[in-house]
Amino acid sequence: MSINDYIKQSWNELCENEQEQETQPPPNKPIRRATKEKMKSDSRESSSSRKKSKPNGKNDSEKSSKPAKKPIELETDQDVLQRRQKQIDYGKNTVGYQNYTHQVPMDKRTKEDPKTPDKYAKYSRRSWDMLIKIWRKKLHEFDGENIDFEDETGNLSELEN
């Protein structure tokens, strides 16, 4: 046997011995198996010792004060205001709006009743169009009802579809 063969044989034996030692646990240490119960109890023990942080790092005194509301911005563009007023005028020039104003007095109106959108409030174009659309749909609920009311001259007249 040459020296090279001896080194290869020794090397192979050493490698095999190391692999066996890695796969076999030491005889004096018990094997610890992880179970769900053990993992839960371990996580509870470690979590109770941790300091719990507050979400925004605010003190209790800061939580009691309410945040300041953002002031309502007003629309200043005259073209936008004119366009909005035109849409409101179209809505107010309907049979449904006339029926609504005569059926429901101002002091009897609820949150569910149609409310004319504020043309001076700052809205995006899409938001304004959606407000007008909802307002007009609510006004259509009063279209089909024929009612008697006095006009400005004091005469009784009947609205028809």
Side-chain angles (χ1 to χ4, degrees), residues 2-160:
S2 72
I3 217 157
N4 285 338
D5 291 336
Y6 179 75
I7 293 174
K8 283 182 186 177
Q9 183 182 3
S10 306
W11 181 255
N12 287 337
E13 287 174 3
L14 285 172
C15 290
E16 287 175 7
N17 287 340
E18 281 185 18
Q19 287 177 353
E20 287 176 9
Q21 288 175 356
E22 288 175 3
T23 57
Q24 293 178 355
N28 57 355
K29 275 194 169 182
I31 299 175
R32 183 171 180 210
R33 305 244 184 242
T35 62
K36 288 183 181 179
E37 292 81 23
K38 286 182 182 176
M39 293 176 76
K40 285 181 185 178
S41 65
D42 288 346
S43 66
R44 285 188 205 124
E45 290 168 3
S46 62
S47 66
S48 63
S49 63
R50 286 189 215 142
K51 183 178 179 182
K52 294 187 174 137
S53 62
K54 294 184 181 178
N56 291 328
K58 293 182 179 180
N59 296 336
D60 292 333
S61 61
E62 293 177 19
K63 286 183 182 178
S64 62
S65 63
K66 292 182 181 178
K69 287 189 177 180
K70 187 176 172 183
I72 297 174
E73 294 182 43
L74 298 178
E75 186 62 60
T76 56
D77 187 359
Q78 289 302 315
D79 294 336
V80 173
L81 291 172
Q82 286 177 352
R83 182 176 60 243
R84 289 180 179 183
Q85 185 60 50
K86 187 175 182 181
Q87 289 176 310
I88 290 171
D89 290 343
Y90 279 138
K92 288 185 175 183
N93 196 22
T94 60
V95 173
Y97 185 80
Q98 298 302 319
N99 289 342
Y100 169 67
T101 55
H102 286 77
Q103 282 181 7
V104 185
M106 288 283 275
D107 57 333
K108 303 285 186 199
R109 295 182 185 174
T110 64
K111 192 174 184 177
E112 290 79 30
D113 288 332
K115 184 177 184 299
T116 307
D118 181 15
K119 71 175 183 176
Y120 293 106
K122 190 85 161 175
Y123 293 110
S124 68
R125 179 78 179 253
R126 284 185 179 186
S127 297
W128 174 258
D129 289 344
M130 187 54 66
L131 287 173
I132 289 291
K133 183 178 179 180
I134 292 169
W135 177 60
R136 294 288 304 270
K137 281 189 175 185
K138 285 184 177 181
L139 287 177
H140 280 300
E141 294 173 5
F142 294 90
D143 280 350
E145 302 168 13
N146 293 335
I147 60 165
D148 292 332
F149 67 91
E150 291 184 25
D151 57 8
E152 293 89 23
T153 60
N155 297 330
L156 282 177
S157 62
E158 184 176 307
L159 290 176
E160 297 179 7

